[in-house]
Amino acid sequence: MIRFSHGAATSVGRVRQVNEDRFLAVPPLFAVADGMGGHGSGDVASSIAIEDMAACAALRPLFTEAVLTALEHANRHIIERHSETRMGTTVTGLAGLETAGGDHLMVFNIGDSRVYRLAGHRLEQLTVDHSEVQELVLAGVITREQARTHPRRNVVTRALGSESGMLPDHWLLPAISGDRYLICSDGLFSELPDEAILPLLAAGAPQQAAEALVAAACDAGGHDNVTVIVVDIDADDDSADETTLPREALPLGKQPGEGW
Ligand code: MN
């Protein structure tokens, strides 16, 4: 059994009128959705996504296909709600899977919200953004740091609510006690470089770290809504860190560049 402790914080920021980010933090499922759409419909899309994710948070044991099915349902529900305005949402997160082969974490992503892992003192972005600027980074046209402030950084190339056949990326990782995960909307990393995120993420309990990161993004400008979930993998008393998986993520989902 994977033991989690977590904290979460969200803010409308200092510029926007409405917070269109939504999140779910119900162990073993954690997700952030960043809604977009005209006439204030973005928060409708992100709310639908989180409601569909919440329905599968109650499943025991939670399994990969259940999470993927919840994402499919959310996609369909958002498309069904399209009226005169199109709307969509990113969704990214972490699910604890209790499988026969051991305890695993599933990381999933559609859009440009992100999951990072802090292991030791190393911060690693696990998800790959579905965005125009990410494609420019992969092509070597701009650097990762230039992408952070690029004028077209908000153009998402994949989102829930965009097309019926849409597939999320997903990865499976071993659950290792001591690792800390960060799930966040782009309002965090658009304002703060990794070097600023790392010390705030590493300090204190999960709730303290989540609040410190949101406050820092607002202090740095708060141009967008910002949402942060911090999740710790806690030591399990009766099973030490026996894992047969390598630490590296195993790519199980569709990979960037495969087309969708
Ligand atoms: Mn955003």
Side-chain angles (χ1 to χ4, degrees):
M1 186 176 146
I2 311 171
R3 290 154 55 106
F4 296 100
S5 50
H6 72 274
T10 188
S11 170
V12 67
R14 296 170 65 172
V15 174
R16 303 280 175 91
Q17 298 297 312
V18 178
N19 191 344
E20 298 184 323
D21 287 0
R22 293 289 184 274
F23 69 91
L24 176 76
V26 179
L29 187 56
F30 305 89
V32 167
D34 179 350
M36 55 204 121
H39 306 285
S41 57
D43 58 337
V44 176
S46 55
S47 295
I48 291 171
I50 291 302
E51 280 165 25
D52 278 314
M53 298 309 290
C56 92
L59 287 174
R60 294 294 182 282
L62 189 55
F63 55 103
T64 306
E65 288 73 19
V67 176
L68 296 177
T69 300
L71 293 169
E72 271 175 41
H73 286 168
N75 189 47
R76 199 174 65 233
H77 292 153
I78 293 165
I79 290 172
E80 285 168 1
R81 286 284 290 276
H82 284 164
S83 50
E84 67 277 10
T85 58
R86 290 180 64 79
M87 59 182 177
T89 186
T90 74
V91 61
T92 190
L94 186 71
L97 309 180
E98 288 157 11
T99 60
D103 294 339
H104 298 115
L105 299 172
M106 173 190 181
V107 171
F108 53 92
N109 180 55
I110 304 159
D112 67 346
S113 299
R114 290 182 180 172
V115 178
Y116 294 79
R117 176 177 56 195
L118 179 66
H121 295 288
R122 204 163 74 93
L123 182 67
E124 182 186 4
Q125 181 186 333
L126 299 178
T127 49
V128 179
D129 298 346
H130 301 137
S131 66
E132 260 192 24
V133 290
Q134 174 65 21
E135 289 173 17
L136 293 175
V137 171
L138 286 173
V141 177
I142 59 172
T143 66
R144 197 165 170 272
E145 180 55 24
Q146 286 169 330
R148 218 170 54 74
T149 54
H150 194 279
R152 289 183 67 78
R153 67 184 177 277
N154 292 325
V155 181
V156 170
T157 53
R158 206 189 309 184
L160 284 186
S162 55
E163 59 180 293
S164 58
M166 176 275 332
L167 283 173
D169 289 335
H170 66 282
W171 298 266
L172 211 57
L173 303 92
I176 297 176
S177 68
D179 284 356
R180 172 169 281 193
Y181 287 81
L182 164 66
I183 309 163
C184 62
S185 60
D186 64 335
L188 182 73
F189 56 82
S190 306
E191 299 291 0
L192 303 175
D194 287 356
E195 306 83 72
I197 291 174
L198 183 104
L200 295 170
L201 177 63
Q207 184 62 35
Q208 183 186 341
E211 289 173 10
L213 285 164
V214 167
C218 290
D219 288 347
H223 295 89
D224 193 4
N225 308 146
V226 53
T227 301
V228 169
I229 306 175
V230 175
V231 181
D232 280 353
I233 311 302
D234 295 335
D236 192 341
D237 298 337
D238 48 53
S239 74
D241 287 338
E242 293 173 31
T243 175
T244 54
L245 274 176
R247 181 168 211 116
E248 289 71 37
L250 302 177
L252 296 181
K254 259 183 138 33
Q255 292 303 294
E258 268 185 39
W260 39 280

Coordinates of all heavy atoms in Angstrom, one line a residue, residues 34 93 103 106 127 136 142 163 186 192 217:
D34 N -6.5 23.0 -16.0 CA -6.4 24.4 -16.3 C -7.4 24.6 -17.5 O -7.1 24.3 -18.6 CB -5.0 24.7 -16.6 CG -4.8 26.2 -17.0 OD1 -5.8 26.9 -17.2 OD2 -3.6 26.6 -17.1
G93 N -1.7 14.7 -13.8 CA -1.7 14.2 -12.4 C -1.0 12.9 -12.2 O -0.2 12.4 -13.0
D103 N 3.8 -1.7 -5.9 CA 3.2 -0.4 -5.9 C 3.8 0.5 -6.9 O 5.0 0.7 -7.0 CB 3.3 0.3 -4.5 CG 2.6 -0.5 -3.4 OD1 1.6 -1.2 -3.8 OD2 2.9 -0.3 -2.2
M106 N 1.2 6.2 -11.5 CA 0.9 6.5 -12.9 C 0.9 8.0 -13.0 O 0.2 8.7 -12.3 CB -0.5 5.9 -13.2 CG -1.0 6.3 -14.6 SD -2.8 5.9 -14.8 CE -3.1 6.4 -16.4
T127 N 6.3 15.1 -17.2 CA 5.4 15.2 -18.3 C 6.0 16.0 -19.5 O 7.0 16.8 -19.3 CB 4.1 15.9 -17.9 OG1 4.5 17.1 -17.2 CG2 3.3 15.0 -17.0
L136 N 8.8 23.8 -30.5 CA 10.0 24.6 -30.9 C 11.2 24.2 -30.1 O 12.3 24.2 -30.6 CB 9.7 26.1 -30.7 CG 8.6 26.7 -31.6 CD1 8.3 28.2 -31.2 CD2 9.0 26.6 -33.1
I142 N 14.2 27.2 -30.0 CA 14.3 28.0 -28.8 C 14.7 27.1 -27.6 O 14.6 25.8 -27.7 CB 13.0 28.7 -28.4 CG1 11.9 27.7 -28.2 CG2 12.6 29.7 -29.5 CD1 10.6 28.3 -27.7
E163 N -11.1 17.1 -29.4 CA -11.5 16.1 -30.4 C -11.8 14.8 -29.7 O -11.3 14.5 -28.7 CB -10.5 15.9 -31.5 CG -9.1 15.4 -31.0 CD -8.1 15.3 -32.1 OE1 -8.3 14.4 -32.9 OE2 -7.1 16.0 -32.1
D186 N 0.3 26.0 -15.5 CA 1.4 26.8 -16.1 C 1.5 28.1 -15.4 O 2.6 28.8 -15.6 CB 1.1 27.0 -17.6 CG -0.1 27.8 -17.9 OD1 -1.1 27.8 -17.1 OD2 -0.2 28.4 -19.0
L192 N 8.0 31.3 -12.6 CA 9.2 30.9 -11.8 C 10.0 29.9 -12.6 O 9.5 28.8 -13.0 CB 8.8 30.2 -10.5 CG 7.9 31.1 -9.5 CD1 7.5 30.2 -8.3 CD2 8.7 32.3 -9.1
A217 N 4.7 32.6 -7.0 CA 4.2 32.9 -8.4 C 3.4 34.2 -8.4 O 3.5 35.0 -9.4 CB 3.4 31.7 -8.9

